[in-house]
Amino acid sequence: SDGLDVFVLCALSCLFFLPATAAPENRSSGAGAQSSRNEQAAERIKAEEESVDDDWKTFLEQSKKSYAEGNLSESSKQIESALIAAENLREGTRSDAFLRVGEQFLYLKQYEKAKNLLEEAIRLRRNVPGFRSIASANALDTLAQAYARTGNLDKAKKSEEEALATYEALKKVDTADYSIALSNHANTLRNMHSYKESEEFFARAVAAQQKIDKHAGSGDSVELAKILLNAGGLYCENDKLVSAKRLLDRASKIVRAKLSPEHPLYKLTVKSERVLYKKKVDQLLKNDANPYREELGEAVTRLGELYEEEGDPSQAAAAFKQAIAIREKLSSPDSPELKKVQNRYADSLKKMSEN
């Protein structure tokens, strides 16, 4: 404190004894220096804030990368760090952060956290002008998925309807966001047992995404595969297995060409196919007194392959054993198809013993 007083007194005394003509020039120079220092400080603070603002994005990208690699534990760890960083943001930038972090929590099946973050993101967005936008429509659709996964189907339906109305009002029906929103709405209707309406929305979603993919000129997209998987699940659930197989076969072709086996969507595709073929085998056995048919043999073999792909050698071996019994009745002992199934059976038994 004494040192500061001395500094101030010295400064004042120096100014007091300056010639009258020199004082204004000196003050101007001092003001300019102070202004420059203020600008530098402001730029430094802004840079620091931008650095902090980017922290959540860095953690989010790391979470997404780990998720794509199938490392869900690391993905969860990184998204928690992203949330902490997002909570420290200024209110003006918090909405977008909460939306994107909440969406990642949704992928990681942490539905309650996702719902709370997405509700807050929507609340913040409604408080500013220009709420009706693509970003808000995306947020409403994502929030609807959180509602659906926490059992709030009525809220999910209402949020999806608002999202779809927003896309349509903005004439943004030629985007993947819109086609995915149609598919999500179809899923909610399916869960509400409104099956006819659900089929109609799935058909609209497939048509919309196919149009987008055709315009892009890059072939069938992963977004289309997601819609086909969901639609195939609806038909499978209602025992419309021919339609289900047509949709799931197409989805499987896309996913296997574009994603690694570790990707969650790849694993979901395999599971969906396995559920379909299990139903098909059961249906064939129930509806036909003759258990030795080529169609059944092919279905059981494929079921074994899918169990094997899921890492379940015990179920795979059981299916291959059944397939061998069928093919032994239908073909000669040296049939290539029979040999192939016998080898798969032996591989499954070996994996069982290793485990």
Side-chain angles (χ1 to χ4, degrees):
S1 174
D2 292 341
L4 180 60
D5 292 341
V6 170
F7 173 79
V8 173
L9 288 169
C10 287
L12 287 172
S13 63
C14 289
L15 285 173
F16 181 80
F17 289 109
L18 282 173
T21 54
E25 182 181 343
N26 189 68
R27 283 197 297 271
S28 175
S29 175
Q34 183 62 41
S35 174
S36 176
R37 286 195 293 272
N38 289 342
E39 288 174 3
Q40 291 172 3
E43 288 176 3
R44 187 176 68 253
I45 291 169
K46 183 180 178 182
E48 289 172 355
E49 286 178 345
E50 287 176 351
S51 176
V52 171
D53 286 355
D54 286 342
D55 284 350
W56 71 271
K57 295 178 185 177
T58 301
F59 289 125
L60 175 62
E61 291 308 312
Q62 289 171 348
S63 177
K64 286 182 175 181
K65 183 174 182 291
S66 297
Y67 179 83
E69 294 169 349
N71 189 346
L72 302 187
S73 175
E74 181 61 22
S75 181
S76 296
K77 178 181 175 183
Q78 294 296 335
I79 201 61
E80 288 289 350
S81 297
L83 174 57
I84 292 169
E87 287 173 335
N88 292 323
L89 293 174
R90 293 162 296 167
E91 186 165 322
T93 58
R94 209 179 299 155
S95 172
D96 182 55
F98 280 0
L99 170 61
R100 292 171 61 188
V101 172
E103 187 176 44
Q104 186 65 7
F105 273 118
L106 194 62
Y107 285 130
L108 289 164
K109 300 183 179 180
Q110 298 186 40
Y111 300 131
E112 199 63 35
K113 280 187 177 180
K115 178 176 73 69
N116 293 338
L117 278 173
L118 294 166
E119 282 181 334
E120 180 63 9
I122 293 292
R123 186 192 69 76
L124 291 169
R125 281 181 176 276
R126 289 193 192 276
N127 289 338
V128 296
F131 173 73
R132 178 167 281 193
S133 64
I134 290 295
S136 295
N138 292 345
L140 287 163
D141 182 56
T142 307
L143 174 60
Q145 305 324 300
Y147 281 140
R149 284 159 176 77
T150 52
N152 298 308
L153 295 180
D154 289 332
K155 283 187 175 182
K157 184 171 181 285
K158 183 178 179 181
S159 189
E160 285 162 355
E161 287 171 345
E162 186 179 358
L164 290 170
T166 303
Y167 288 123
E168 289 159 7
L170 295 170
K171 302 187 185 306
K172 296 295 183 179
V173 296
D174 56 349
T175 64
D177 291 328
Y178 180 69
S179 63
I180 291 294
L182 287 169
S183 178
N184 289 336
H185 191 50
N187 257 332
T188 297
L189 292 168
R190 167 188 173 184
N191 291 329
M192 298 176 82
H193 307 296
S194 300
Y195 295 123
K196 186 176 180 182
E197 273 189 282
S198 180
E199 287 183 15
E200 290 170 359
F201 272 92
F202 273 131
R204 286 176 60 187
V206 170
Q209 189 60 51
Q210 285 181 149
K211 185 177 179 181
I212 293 165
D213 291 350
K214 184 177 180 180
H215 181 73
S218 55
D220 291 341
S221 63
V222 172
E223 284 74 18
L224 177 60
K226 291 177 185 177
I227 298 169
L228 293 168
L229 277 175
N230 285 327
L234 169 67
Y235 285 113
C236 188
E237 183 179 326
N238 289 301
D239 294 327
K240 297 180 179 180
L241 301 188
V242 174
S243 296
K245 184 177 183 301
R246 174 175 54 82
L247 294 168
L248 292 178
D249 281 353
R250 189 175 175 192
S252 178
K253 183 178 179 181
I254 298 168
V255 168
R256 291 172 186 277
K258 298 197 171 187
L259 299 176
S260 71
E262 290 75 28
H263 195 284
L265 187 62
Y266 190 107
K267 293 178 181 180
L268 178 61
T269 301
V270 175
K271 180 181 178 180
S272 299
E273 288 183 283
R274 190 254 301 158
V275 170
L276 168 68
Y277 275 92
K278 181 68 171 68
K279 273 204 165 193
K280 185 175 182 179
V281 168
D282 292 344
Q283 194 176 83
L284 287 170
L285 288 171
K286 180 180 178 181
N287 297 338
D288 198 329
N290 177 18
Y292 303 108
R293 291 176 52 204
E294 184 66 32
E295 185 181 9
L296 179 60
E298 289 176 355
V300 174
T301 300
R302 182 60 183 145
L303 180 61
E305 291 170 350
L306 292 165
Y307 275 127
E308 192 174 57
E309 198 167 3
E310 284 189 307
D312 191 341
S314 176
Q315 292 285 2
F320 288 137
K321 185 177 181 180
Q322 186 180 2
I324 289 169
I326 295 169
R327 292 195 178 278
E328 283 177 341
K329 293 283 186 179
L330 298 174
S331 57
S332 62
D334 58 349
S335 163
E337 286 301 317
L338 177 58
K339 292 288 186 186
K340 180 181 175 182
V341 180
Q342 288 172 334
N343 289 337
R344 301 296 288 268
Y345 177 57
D347 288 343
S348 295
L349 292 177
K350 182 180 178 181
K351 287 176 183 175
M352 285 173 63
S353 65
E354 288 173 352
N355 289 340

PDB file of all heavy atoms in Angstrom, residues 46-60:
ATOM      1  N   LYS A  46     -10.531 -12.902 -24.613  1.00  0.00           N
ATOM      2  CA  LYS A  46     -11.335 -13.530 -25.659  1.00  0.00           C
ATOM      3  C   LYS A  46     -10.722 -14.850 -26.114  1.00  0.00           C
ATOM      4  O   LYS A  46     -11.408 -15.854 -26.292  1.00  0.00           O
ATOM      5  CB  LYS A  46     -11.471 -12.582 -26.848  1.00  0.00           C
ATOM      6  CG  LYS A  46     -12.365 -13.138 -27.963  1.00  0.00           C
ATOM      7  CD  LYS A  46     -12.459 -12.153 -29.121  1.00  0.00           C
ATOM      8  CE  LYS A  46     -13.312 -12.739 -30.239  1.00  0.00           C
ATOM      9  NZ  LYS A  46     -13.394 -11.836 -31.416  1.00  0.00           N
ATOM     10  N   ALA A  47      -9.404 -14.852 -26.297  1.00  0.00           N
ATOM     11  CA  ALA A  47      -8.699 -16.069 -26.713  1.00  0.00           C
ATOM     12  C   ALA A  47      -8.843 -17.164 -25.664  1.00  0.00           C
ATOM     13  O   ALA A  47      -9.045 -18.338 -25.991  1.00  0.00           O
ATOM     14  CB  ALA A  47      -7.226 -15.770 -26.967  1.00  0.00           C
ATOM     15  N   GLU A  48      -8.741 -16.754 -24.390  1.00  0.00           N
ATOM     16  CA  GLU A  48      -8.891 -17.734 -23.308  1.00  0.00           C
ATOM     17  C   GLU A  48     -10.306 -18.299 -23.275  1.00  0.00           C
ATOM     18  O   GLU A  48     -10.510 -19.500 -23.075  1.00  0.00           O
ATOM     19  CB  GLU A  48      -8.552 -17.078 -21.964  1.00  0.00           C
ATOM     20  CG  GLU A  48      -7.072 -16.783 -21.777  1.00  0.00           C
ATOM     21  CD  GLU A  48      -6.784 -15.953 -20.530  1.00  0.00           C
ATOM     22  OE1 GLU A  48      -7.761 -15.526 -19.874  1.00  0.00           O
ATOM     23  OE2 GLU A  48      -5.593 -15.726 -20.228  1.00  0.00           O
ATOM     24  N   GLU A  49     -11.301 -17.404 -23.488  1.00  0.00           N
ATOM     25  CA  GLU A  49     -12.692 -17.869 -23.502  1.00  0.00           C
ATOM     26  C   GLU A  49     -12.942 -18.807 -24.669  1.00  0.00           C
ATOM     27  O   GLU A  49     -13.623 -19.822 -24.531  1.00  0.00           O
ATOM     28  CB  GLU A  49     -13.639 -16.662 -23.587  1.00  0.00           C
ATOM     29  CG  GLU A  49     -13.743 -15.876 -22.282  1.00  0.00           C
ATOM     30  CD  GLU A  49     -14.644 -14.663 -22.429  1.00  0.00           C
ATOM     31  OE1 GLU A  49     -14.956 -14.277 -23.592  1.00  0.00           O
ATOM     32  OE2 GLU A  49     -15.054 -14.105 -21.388  1.00  0.00           O
ATOM     33  N   GLU A  50     -12.374 -18.465 -25.837  1.00  0.00           N
ATOM     34  CA  GLU A  50     -12.544 -19.337 -26.997  1.00  0.00           C
ATOM     35  C   GLU A  50     -11.884 -20.678 -26.766  1.00  0.00           C
ATOM     36  O   GLU A  50     -12.395 -21.721 -27.188  1.00  0.00           O
ATOM     37  CB  GLU A  50     -11.967 -18.660 -28.243  1.00  0.00           C
ATOM     38  CG  GLU A  50     -12.819 -17.501 -28.748  1.00  0.00           C
ATOM     39  CD  GLU A  50     -12.188 -16.778 -29.907  1.00  0.00           C
ATOM     40  OE1 GLU A  50     -11.004 -17.063 -30.215  1.00  0.00           O
ATOM     41  OE2 GLU A  50     -12.867 -15.929 -30.511  1.00  0.00           O
ATOM     42  N   SER A  51     -10.739 -20.655 -26.077  1.00  0.00           N
ATOM     43  CA  SER A  51     -10.062 -21.907 -25.752  1.00  0.00           C
ATOM     44  C   SER A  51     -10.927 -22.765 -24.842  1.00  0.00           C
ATOM     45  O   SER A  51     -11.075 -23.967 -25.044  1.00  0.00           O
ATOM     46  CB  SER A  51      -8.714 -21.623 -25.086  1.00  0.00           C
ATOM     47  OG  SER A  51      -8.088 -22.816 -24.675  1.00  0.00           O
ATOM     48  N   VAL A  52     -11.525 -22.121 -23.830  1.00  0.00           N
ATOM     49  CA  VAL A  52     -12.428 -22.838 -22.927  1.00  0.00           C
ATOM     50  C   VAL A  52     -13.649 -23.321 -23.689  1.00  0.00           C
ATOM     51  O   VAL A  52     -14.138 -24.445 -23.508  1.00  0.00           O
ATOM     52  CB  VAL A  52     -12.854 -21.928 -21.747  1.00  0.00           C
ATOM     53  CG1 VAL A  52     -13.962 -22.580 -20.935  1.00  0.00           C
ATOM     54  CG2 VAL A  52     -11.651 -21.631 -20.865  1.00  0.00           C
ATOM     55  N   ASP A  53     -14.193 -22.450 -24.585  1.00  0.00           N
ATOM     56  CA  ASP A  53     -15.354 -22.811 -25.387  1.00  0.00           C
ATOM     57  C   ASP A  53     -15.081 -24.040 -26.245  1.00  0.00           C
ATOM     58  O   ASP A  53     -15.993 -24.813 -26.544  1.00  0.00           O
ATOM     59  CB  ASP A  53     -15.753 -21.644 -26.299  1.00  0.00           C
ATOM     60  CG  ASP A  53     -16.419 -20.516 -25.519  1.00  0.00           C
ATOM     61  OD1 ASP A  53     -16.644 -20.707 -24.313  1.00  0.00           O
ATOM     62  OD2 ASP A  53     -16.700 -19.465 -26.109  1.00  0.00           O
ATOM     63  N   ASP A  54     -13.837 -24.198 -26.676  1.00  0.00           N
ATOM     64  CA  ASP A  54     -13.490 -25.329 -27.543  1.00  0.00           C
ATOM     65  C   ASP A  54     -13.215 -26.615 -26.772  1.00  0.00           C
ATOM     66  O   ASP A  54     -13.151 -27.690 -27.375  1.00  0.00           O
ATOM     67  CB  ASP A  54     -12.258 -24.983 -28.386  1.00  0.00           C
ATOM     68  CG  ASP A  54     -12.597 -23.996 -29.498  1.00  0.00           C
ATOM     69  OD1 ASP A  54     -13.797 -23.867 -29.804  1.00  0.00           O
ATOM     70  OD2 ASP A  54     -11.673 -23.361 -30.041  1.00  0.00           O
ATOM     71  N   ASP A  55     -13.031 -26.531 -25.456  1.00  0.00           N
ATOM     72  CA  ASP A  55     -12.710 -27.725 -24.673  1.00  0.00           C
ATOM     73  C   ASP A  55     -13.780 -28.797 -24.821  1.00  0.00           C
ATOM     74  O   ASP A  55     -13.479 -29.976 -25.028  1.00  0.00           O
ATOM     75  CB  ASP A  55     -12.549 -27.361 -23.186  1.00  0.00           C
ATOM     76  CG  ASP A  55     -11.216 -26.672 -22.909  1.00  0.00           C
ATOM     77  OD1 ASP A  55     -10.366 -26.666 -23.820  1.00  0.00           O
ATOM     78  OD2 ASP A  55     -11.049 -26.143 -21.800  1.00  0.00           O
ATOM     79  N   TRP A  56     -15.047 -28.393 -24.711  1.00  0.00           N
ATOM     80  CA  TRP A  56     -16.120 -29.381 -24.784  1.00  0.00           C
ATOM     81  C   TRP A  56     -16.157 -30.047 -26.162  1.00  0.00           C
ATOM     82  O   TRP A  56     -16.454 -31.244 -26.275  1.00  0.00           O
ATOM     83  CB  TRP A  56     -17.470 -28.732 -24.458  1.00  0.00           C
ATOM     84  CG  TRP A  56     -18.002 -27.794 -25.505  1.00  0.00           C
ATOM     85  CD1 TRP A  56     -17.759 -26.466 -25.599  1.00  0.00           C
ATOM     86  CD2 TRP A  56     -18.858 -28.126 -26.596  1.00  0.00           C
ATOM     87  NE1 TRP A  56     -18.412 -25.920 -26.687  1.00  0.00           N
ATOM     88  CE2 TRP A  56     -19.106 -26.931 -27.317  1.00  0.00           C
ATOM     89  CE3 TRP A  56     -19.448 -29.304 -27.043  1.00  0.00           C
ATOM     90  CZ2 TRP A  56     -19.908 -26.888 -28.456  1.00  0.00           C
ATOM     91  CZ3 TRP A  56     -20.249 -29.270 -28.173  1.00  0.00           C
ATOM     92  CH2 TRP A  56     -20.470 -28.075 -28.864  1.00  0.00           C
ATOM     93  N   LYS A  57     -15.821 -29.282 -27.199  1.00  0.00           N
ATOM     94  CA  LYS A  57     -15.803 -29.836 -28.552  1.00  0.00           C
ATOM     95  C   LYS A  57     -14.708 -30.896 -28.690  1.00  0.00           C
ATOM     96  O   LYS A  57     -14.907 -31.938 -29.314  1.00  0.00           O
ATOM     97  CB  LYS A  57     -15.582 -28.735 -29.579  1.00  0.00           C
ATOM     98  CG  LYS A  57     -16.706 -27.721 -29.657  1.00  0.00           C
ATOM     99  CD  LYS A  57     -16.371 -26.633 -30.667  1.00  0.00           C
ATOM    100  CE  LYS A  57     -17.425 -25.540 -30.684  1.00  0.00           C
ATOM    101  NZ  LYS A  57     -17.075 -24.447 -31.606  1.00  0.00           N
ATOM    102  N   THR A  58     -13.566 -30.606 -28.094  1.00  0.00           N
ATOM    103  CA  THR A  58     -12.446 -31.564 -28.145  1.00  0.00           C
ATOM    104  C   THR A  58     -12.825 -32.876 -27.468  1.00  0.00           C
ATOM    105  O   THR A  58     -12.619 -33.971 -28.013  1.00  0.00           O
ATOM    106  CB  THR A  58     -11.206 -30.962 -27.464  1.00  0.00           C
ATOM    107  OG1 THR A  58     -10.846 -29.744 -28.120  1.00  0.00           O
ATOM    108  CG2 THR A  58     -10.033 -31.934 -27.515  1.00  0.00           C
ATOM    109  N   PHE A  59     -13.391 -32.769 -26.258  1.00  0.00           N
ATOM    110  CA  PHE A  59     -13.819 -33.972 -25.539  1.00  0.00           C
ATOM    111  C   PHE A  59     -14.927 -34.720 -26.298  1.00  0.00           C
ATOM    112  O   PHE A  59     -14.934 -35.944 -26.330  1.00  0.00           O
ATOM    113  CB  PHE A  59     -14.305 -33.608 -24.136  1.00  0.00           C
ATOM    114  CG  PHE A  59     -13.223 -33.182 -23.191  1.00  0.00           C
ATOM    115  CD1 PHE A  59     -13.286 -31.955 -22.535  1.00  0.00           C
ATOM    116  CD2 PHE A  59     -12.128 -34.006 -22.946  1.00  0.00           C
ATOM    117  CE1 PHE A  59     -12.286 -31.559 -21.661  1.00  0.00           C
ATOM    118  CE2 PHE A  59     -11.117 -33.616 -22.072  1.00  0.00           C
ATOM    119  CZ  PHE A  59     -11.203 -32.382 -21.430  1.00  0.00           C
ATOM    120  N   LEU A  60     -15.836 -33.958 -26.899  1.00  0.00           N
ATOM    121  CA  LEU A  60     -16.930 -34.576 -27.658  1.00  0.00           C
ATOM    122  C   LEU A  60     -16.392 -35.367 -28.840  1.00  0.00           C
ATOM    123  O   LEU A  60     -16.811 -36.509 -29.080  1.00  0.00           O
ATOM    124  CB  LEU A  60     -17.906 -33.502 -28.138  1.00  0.00           C
ATOM    125  CG  LEU A  60     -19.047 -33.982 -29.045  1.00  0.00           C
ATOM    126  CD1 LEU A  60     -19.945 -34.974 -28.317  1.00  0.00           C
ATOM    127  CD2 LEU A  60     -19.873 -32.792 -29.544  1.00  0.00           C
TER     128      LEU A  60
END
